[in-house]
Amino acid sequence: MRRVRYTETGGPEVLRIEETAVPVPGPGEVLVRTEAIGLTLPVVRKVREGGLPLPTGPGGEVAGEIAAVGAGVTGFAVGDRVTGLCFTDAFADFALVHTAMLSPVPEGASAADAVALVRCGLVALGAYEAARPAAGESVLVTAAAGGSGHLAVQLAKARGAGRVVAAVSSADKAEFARSLGADEVVTYGDESWGAPVDIVLDAVGGELLSPAIAALAPGGRIVAYSSGGGTIEAYDLLVGAKSAIGFQMALIARERPELMERWRRELWELFAAGRIRPRVDCELPLEDVAKAFGIIESRANRGKVILRPV
Protein backbone atom coordinates (compact mmCIF):
# COMPACT_ATOMS: atom_id res chain seq x y z
CA MET A 1 0.00 0.00 0.00
CA ARG A 2 0.95 3.69 -0.27
CA ARG A 3 1.49 6.01 2.67
CA VAL A 4 2.81 9.55 3.16
CA ARG A 5 5.89 9.94 5.37
CA TYR A 6 8.47 12.58 6.23
CA THR A 7 11.99 12.23 7.64
CA GLU A 8 12.60 15.89 8.49
CA THR A 9 10.44 18.84 9.46
CA GLY A 10 9.56 21.51 6.95
CA GLY A 11 6.98 22.52 4.39
CA PRO A 12 5.06 20.38 1.89
CA GLU A 13 8.31 19.55 0.08
CA VAL A 14 9.37 17.14 2.89
CA LEU A 15 6.41 14.81 2.27
CA ARG A 16 7.07 11.59 0.38
CA ILE A 17 4.85 8.72 -0.74
CA GLU A 18 6.30 5.27 -0.10
CA GLU A 19 5.20 1.69 -0.62
CA THR A 20 4.85 -0.45 2.51
CA ALA A 21 3.03 -3.50 3.83
CA VAL A 22 -0.58 -3.19 4.95
CA PRO A 23 -0.52 -2.86 8.77
CA VAL A 24 -2.18 -5.35 11.09
CA PRO A 25 -4.57 -3.97 13.73
CA GLY A 26 -3.54 -4.45 17.34
CA PRO A 27 -5.81 -4.87 20.36
CA GLY A 28 -8.63 -2.34 20.27
CA GLU A 29 -7.79 -1.20 16.75
CA VAL A 30 -9.44 -1.54 13.36
CA LEU A 31 -7.90 -1.33 9.91
CA VAL A 32 -9.76 1.14 7.70
CA ARG A 33 -9.56 1.06 3.90
CA THR A 34 -9.53 4.82 3.45
CA GLU A 35 -11.91 6.55 1.06
CA ALA A 36 -11.38 10.11 2.29
CA ILE A 37 -8.69 11.75 4.44
CA GLY A 38 -9.08 15.18 6.03
CA LEU A 39 -6.28 17.67 6.53
CA THR A 40 -6.16 20.30 9.30
CA LEU A 41 -3.91 23.27 10.08
CA PRO A 42 -2.56 21.70 13.32
CA VAL A 43 -1.32 18.72 11.29
CA VAL A 44 0.37 21.03 8.79
CA ARG A 45 2.03 22.91 11.66
CA LYS A 46 3.23 19.68 13.22
CA VAL A 47 4.95 18.67 9.98
CA ARG A 48 6.64 22.05 9.78
CA GLU A 49 7.51 22.49 13.46
CA GLY A 50 7.99 18.92 14.68
CA GLY A 51 6.70 17.20 17.77
CA LEU A 52 6.80 13.54 16.75
CA PRO A 53 9.77 11.14 16.52
CA LEU A 54 11.02 10.93 12.94
CA PRO A 55 10.48 9.36 10.50
CA THR A 56 6.70 9.42 10.76
CA GLY A 57 3.52 10.03 8.81
CA PRO A 58 0.98 12.83 9.38
CA GLY A 59 -2.10 12.07 11.41
CA GLY A 60 -5.60 13.09 10.44
CA GLU A 61 -9.24 12.20 10.00
CA VAL A 62 -10.12 9.21 7.86
CA ALA A 63 -13.33 7.64 6.60
CA GLY A 64 -13.85 4.37 4.83
CA GLU A 65 -14.68 0.71 5.32
CA ILE A 66 -13.30 -1.60 8.02
CA ALA A 67 -11.03 -4.19 6.42
CA ALA A 68 -9.90 -5.99 9.60
CA VAL A 69 -10.38 -5.79 13.38
CA GLY A 70 -7.93 -6.38 16.21
CA ALA A 71 -8.34 -8.44 19.37
CA GLY A 72 -10.97 -7.29 21.81
CA VAL A 73 -12.84 -5.06 19.37
CA THR A 74 -16.58 -4.97 19.97
CA GLY A 75 -19.28 -2.89 18.33
CA PHE A 76 -17.50 -2.77 14.97
CA ALA A 77 -17.10 -5.41 12.27
CA VAL A 78 -15.47 -5.90 8.87
CA GLY A 79 -17.49 -4.06 6.24
CA ASP A 80 -18.75 -1.28 8.53
CA ARG A 81 -18.45 2.28 7.20
CA VAL A 82 -16.67 4.39 9.81
CA THR A 83 -14.82 7.60 10.43
CA GLY A 84 -12.16 8.37 13.01
CA LEU A 85 -8.90 10.01 13.92
CA CYS A 86 -5.47 8.43 13.84
CA PHE A 87 -2.44 10.28 15.14
CA THR A 88 0.10 9.00 12.61
CA ASP A 89 0.01 7.48 9.12
CA ALA A 90 -3.48 8.69 8.26
CA PHE A 91 -2.47 9.58 4.73
CA ALA A 92 -2.42 6.07 3.34
CA ASP A 93 -4.48 3.48 1.50
CA PHE A 94 -5.11 1.78 4.85
CA ALA A 95 -5.04 3.36 8.32
CA LEU A 96 -5.16 2.01 11.88
CA VAL A 97 -7.74 3.65 14.14
CA HIS A 98 -8.40 2.86 17.81
CA THR A 99 -12.07 2.24 18.54
CA ALA A 100 -12.03 5.08 21.12
CA MET A 101 -11.59 7.48 18.19
CA LEU A 102 -14.03 5.72 15.87
CA SER A 103 -17.68 6.29 15.01
CA PRO A 104 -20.07 4.79 12.46
CA VAL A 105 -21.08 6.67 9.33
CA PRO A 106 -24.87 6.67 8.94
CA GLU A 107 -26.75 5.84 5.77
CA GLY A 108 -26.98 8.74 3.38
CA ALA A 109 -23.65 10.27 4.39
CA SER A 110 -20.59 10.05 2.17
CA ALA A 111 -17.01 9.50 3.28
CA ALA A 112 -16.34 13.17 2.46
CA ASP A 113 -19.30 14.23 4.62
CA ALA A 114 -17.97 12.14 7.49
CA VAL A 115 -14.40 13.46 7.32
CA ALA A 116 -15.58 17.05 7.00
CA LEU A 117 -18.19 16.80 9.74
CA VAL A 118 -17.10 14.61 12.61
CA ARG A 119 -13.67 15.73 13.84
CA CYS A 120 -13.97 19.40 12.87
CA GLY A 121 -17.57 19.39 14.02
CA LEU A 122 -16.62 17.95 17.39
CA VAL A 123 -14.02 20.69 17.84
CA ALA A 124 -16.48 23.41 16.78
CA LEU A 125 -19.30 22.11 18.97
CA GLY A 126 -16.99 21.50 21.93
CA ALA A 127 -15.51 25.00 21.70
CA TYR A 128 -19.00 26.50 21.53
CA GLU A 129 -20.18 24.52 24.56
CA ALA A 130 -17.04 25.54 26.48
CA ALA A 131 -18.33 29.14 26.30
CA ARG A 132 -21.54 28.06 28.11
CA PRO A 133 -23.71 29.99 25.64
CA ALA A 134 -27.15 31.29 26.52
CA ALA A 135 -29.92 31.49 23.94
CA GLY A 136 -29.78 34.67 21.91
CA GLU A 137 -26.17 35.55 22.70
CA SER A 138 -23.97 36.89 19.91
CA VAL A 139 -20.99 34.91 18.60
CA LEU A 140 -17.93 35.79 16.52
CA VAL A 141 -16.01 32.97 14.82
CA THR A 142 -12.46 33.46 13.55
CA ALA A 143 -11.15 31.33 10.66
CA ALA A 144 -14.82 31.14 9.71
CA ALA A 145 -14.03 29.71 6.27
CA GLY A 146 -11.86 26.90 7.67
CA GLY A 147 -12.64 23.28 8.42
CA SER A 148 -13.85 23.86 11.99
CA GLY A 149 -14.82 27.50 11.62
CA HIS A 150 -17.35 26.99 8.83
CA LEU A 151 -19.12 24.43 11.02
CA ALA A 152 -18.91 26.66 14.10
CA VAL A 153 -20.83 29.38 12.23
CA GLN A 154 -23.58 26.92 11.33
CA LEU A 155 -23.67 25.34 14.80
CA ALA A 156 -24.02 28.73 16.49
CA LYS A 157 -27.02 29.50 14.29
CA ALA A 158 -28.53 26.05 14.84
CA ARG A 159 -28.04 26.37 18.60
CA GLY A 160 -29.94 29.67 18.78
CA ALA A 161 -27.29 32.40 18.67
CA GLY A 162 -28.92 35.79 18.19
CA ARG A 163 -26.18 37.16 15.92
CA VAL A 164 -23.25 35.39 14.29
CA VAL A 165 -20.24 37.28 12.96
CA ALA A 166 -17.79 35.49 10.66
CA ALA A 167 -14.19 36.77 10.77
CA VAL A 168 -12.12 35.77 7.74
CA SER A 169 -8.63 36.49 6.47
CA SER A 170 -9.68 38.18 3.21
CA ALA A 171 -12.72 39.81 1.64
CA ASP A 172 -12.94 37.17 -1.09
CA LYS A 173 -14.20 34.73 1.55
CA ALA A 174 -17.11 36.95 2.58
CA GLU A 175 -19.68 35.44 0.20
CA PHE A 176 -18.79 31.93 1.38
CA ALA A 177 -19.17 32.99 5.03
CA ARG A 178 -22.58 34.52 4.34
CA SER A 179 -23.68 31.31 2.62
CA LEU A 180 -23.10 29.54 5.95
CA GLY A 181 -25.67 31.78 7.62
CA ALA A 182 -23.39 34.45 9.09
CA ASP A 183 -25.26 37.66 9.83
CA GLU A 184 -22.13 39.78 9.40
CA VAL A 185 -18.66 39.26 7.93
CA VAL A 186 -15.47 41.09 8.94
CA THR A 187 -11.87 40.67 7.85
CA TYR A 188 -8.96 40.58 10.27
CA GLY A 189 -7.58 43.87 9.03
CA ASP A 190 -10.82 45.82 9.51
CA GLU A 191 -10.49 48.76 11.89
CA SER A 192 -13.62 47.61 13.72
CA TRP A 193 -15.21 44.19 14.00
CA GLY A 194 -18.64 45.72 14.51
CA ALA A 195 -20.79 45.76 17.62
CA PRO A 196 -19.30 43.81 20.57
CA VAL A 197 -20.20 40.13 20.94
CA ASP A 198 -20.78 37.86 23.92
CA ILE A 199 -18.60 34.99 22.66
CA VAL A 200 -15.54 34.67 20.43
CA LEU A 201 -14.54 31.24 19.14
CA ASP A 202 -10.91 31.64 18.11
CA ALA A 203 -9.15 29.14 15.88
CA VAL A 204 -6.27 31.43 14.90
CA GLY A 205 -4.45 32.72 17.98
CA GLY A 206 -1.22 34.68 17.70
CA GLU A 207 -1.60 38.37 16.91
CA LEU A 208 -5.34 37.94 16.41
CA LEU A 209 -5.94 37.40 20.12
CA SER A 210 -5.87 41.12 20.98
CA PRO A 211 -8.50 42.25 18.45
CA ALA A 212 -10.58 39.17 19.27
CA ILE A 213 -10.67 40.11 22.96
CA ALA A 214 -11.37 43.73 22.03
CA ALA A 215 -14.44 42.50 20.11
CA LEU A 216 -15.95 41.09 23.32
CA ALA A 217 -18.70 42.90 25.20
CA PRO A 218 -18.26 43.36 28.98
CA GLY A 219 -18.55 39.95 30.58
CA GLY A 220 -17.82 38.23 27.27
CA ARG A 221 -15.85 35.00 26.81
CA ILE A 222 -13.21 33.99 24.31
CA VAL A 223 -12.64 30.28 23.71
CA ALA A 224 -9.15 29.60 22.36
CA TYR A 225 -8.81 26.32 20.50
CA SER A 226 -5.98 27.20 18.13
CA SER A 227 -2.52 25.69 17.89
CA GLY A 228 -1.24 29.12 16.83
CA GLY A 229 -0.10 30.22 20.28
CA GLY A 230 -0.16 33.85 21.34
CA THR A 231 -0.36 35.86 24.56
CA ILE A 232 -3.37 37.35 26.32
CA GLU A 233 -2.78 40.47 28.43
CA ALA A 234 -4.48 40.20 31.82
CA TYR A 235 -5.41 43.89 31.69
CA ASP A 236 -7.43 43.30 28.48
CA LEU A 237 -9.57 40.86 30.43
CA LEU A 238 -9.80 42.90 33.62
CA VAL A 239 -11.13 46.11 32.12
CA GLY A 240 -14.24 44.43 30.77
CA ALA A 241 -14.57 41.55 33.22
CA LYS A 242 -13.93 39.26 30.27
CA SER A 243 -12.89 35.59 30.41
CA ALA A 244 -10.52 33.42 28.39
CA ILE A 245 -11.22 29.68 28.12
CA GLY A 246 -8.97 27.04 26.62
CA PHE A 247 -10.48 24.07 24.78
CA GLN A 248 -8.71 20.87 23.76
CA MET A 249 -10.51 18.01 22.05
CA ALA A 250 -7.91 15.41 23.07
CA LEU A 251 -8.65 16.02 26.75
CA ILE A 252 -12.37 15.39 26.17
CA ALA A 253 -11.60 12.21 24.23
CA ARG A 254 -9.47 10.88 27.10
CA GLU A 255 -11.56 11.94 30.08
CA ARG A 256 -15.11 12.48 28.82
CA PRO A 257 -15.78 9.91 26.07
CA GLU A 258 -19.50 9.89 26.88
CA LEU A 259 -19.64 13.64 26.18
CA MET A 260 -17.83 13.21 22.88
CA GLU A 261 -20.33 10.52 21.89
CA ARG A 262 -23.23 12.85 22.73
CA TRP A 263 -21.70 15.54 20.55
CA ARG A 264 -21.26 13.04 17.71
CA ARG A 265 -24.94 12.11 17.87
CA GLU A 266 -25.97 15.76 17.86
CA LEU A 267 -23.81 16.48 14.80
CA TRP A 268 -25.34 13.64 12.81
CA GLU A 269 -28.85 14.64 13.91
CA LEU A 270 -28.26 18.21 12.76
CA PHE A 271 -26.80 16.90 9.50
CA ALA A 272 -29.79 14.62 8.89
CA ALA A 273 -32.15 17.54 9.56
CA GLY A 274 -30.28 19.71 7.06
CA ARG A 275 -29.35 22.28 9.71
CA ILE A 276 -25.60 21.95 9.17
CA ARG A 277 -23.79 21.06 5.97
CA PRO A 278 -20.05 20.37 5.84
CA ARG A 279 -18.47 22.11 2.88
CA VAL A 280 -15.59 20.56 0.95
CA ASP A 281 -13.22 23.01 -0.73
CA CYS A 282 -11.44 20.42 -2.84
CA GLU A 283 -10.83 16.69 -3.16
CA LEU A 284 -7.35 15.73 -4.37
CA PRO A 285 -5.65 12.40 -5.09
CA LEU A 286 -3.13 11.15 -2.54
CA GLU A 287 -0.32 12.06 -4.94
CA ASP A 288 -1.24 15.72 -4.49
CA VAL A 289 -0.63 15.70 -0.74
CA ALA A 290 1.96 18.51 -0.99
CA LYS A 291 -0.55 20.67 -2.86
CA ALA A 292 -3.18 20.00 -0.17
CA PHE A 293 -0.73 21.01 2.58
CA GLY A 294 0.04 24.21 0.68
CA ILE A 295 -3.64 25.12 0.41
CA ILE A 296 -4.14 24.71 4.17
CA GLU A 297 -0.94 26.53 5.12
CA SER A 298 -1.83 29.52 2.95
CA ARG A 299 -5.38 29.53 4.40
CA ALA A 300 -6.78 29.57 0.88
CA ASN A 301 -9.48 26.98 1.59
CA ARG A 302 -13.19 27.52 2.00
CA GLY A 303 -14.29 24.49 3.96
CA LYS A 304 -12.52 21.15 4.16
CA VAL A 305 -9.56 19.92 2.10
CA ILE A 306 -9.77 16.18 1.45
CA LEU A 307 -7.44 13.62 -0.09
CA ARG A 308 -8.81 10.59 -1.94
CA PRO A 309 -6.58 7.47 -2.02
CA VAL A 310 -8.79 5.84 -4.69
Side-chain angles (χ1 to χ4, degrees), residues 49-240:
E49 299 168 7
L52 294 173
L54 299 175
T56 189
E61 311 122 332
V62 301
E65 184 178 290
I66 294 179
V69 299
V73 170
T74 59
F76 295 97
V78 171
D80 287 351
R81 296 180 66 243
V82 295
T83 185
L85 176 71
C86 45
F87 297 102
T88 59
D89 293 330
F91 292 76
D93 292 313
F94 292 86
L96 294 174
V97 185
H98 196 279
T99 54
M101 307 303 296
L102 200 66
S103 62
V105 176
E107 290 294 329
S110 69
D113 287 333
V115 160
L117 178 68
V118 175
R119 183 66 182 177
C120 285
L122 285 171
V123 170
L125 182 52
Y128 186 54
E129 283 217 344
R132 299 186 181 277
E137 285 193 309
S138 52
V139 181
L140 183 146
V141 179
T142 67
S148 293
H150 88 282
L151 291 169
V153 170
Q154 297 179 68
L155 285 164
K157 295 294 287 187
R159 282 289 202 88
R163 168 174 154 255
V164 177
V165 182
V168 293
S169 58
S170 57
D172 60 357
K173 296 179 179 179
E175 183 178 349
F176 174 76
R178 290 191 182 93
S179 76
L180 303 171
D183 300 296
E184 302 169 27
V185 181
V186 300
T187 61
Y188 302 152
D190 289 348
E191 186 174 339
S192 170
W193 285 5
V197 297
D198 300 300
I199 296 167
V200 170
L201 304 180
D202 178 50
V204 180
E207 295 180 355
L208 209 64
L209 284 172
S210 290
I213 291 172
L216 286 172
R221 296 89 73 200
I222 180 171
V223 179
Y225 64 101
S226 162
S227 60
T231 301
I232 294 175
E233 295 291 338
Y235 182 77
D236 293 340
L237 300 178
L238 290 172
V239 292

Side-chain angles (χ1 to χ4, degrees), residues 208-275:
L208 209 64
L209 284 172
S210 290
I213 291 172
L216 286 172
R221 296 89 73 200
I222 180 171
V223 179
Y225 64 101
S226 162
S227 60
T231 301
I232 294 175
E233 295 291 338
Y235 182 77
D236 293 340
L237 300 178
L238 290 172
V239 292
K242 303 172 183 179
S243 301
I245 303 162
F247 176 78
Q248 185 194 50
M249 195 67 229
L251 184 65
I252 300 294
R254 288 195 305 268
E255 299 187 4
R256 300 286 304 279
E258 76 291 344
L259 179 59
M260 193 166 74
E261 183 54 36
R262 177 168 67 79
W263 290 344
R264 281 196 191 108
R265 288 196 302 270
E266 180 175 351
L267 288 169
W268 283 121
E269 287 167 2
L270 290 169
F271 174 82
R275 300 180 67 191

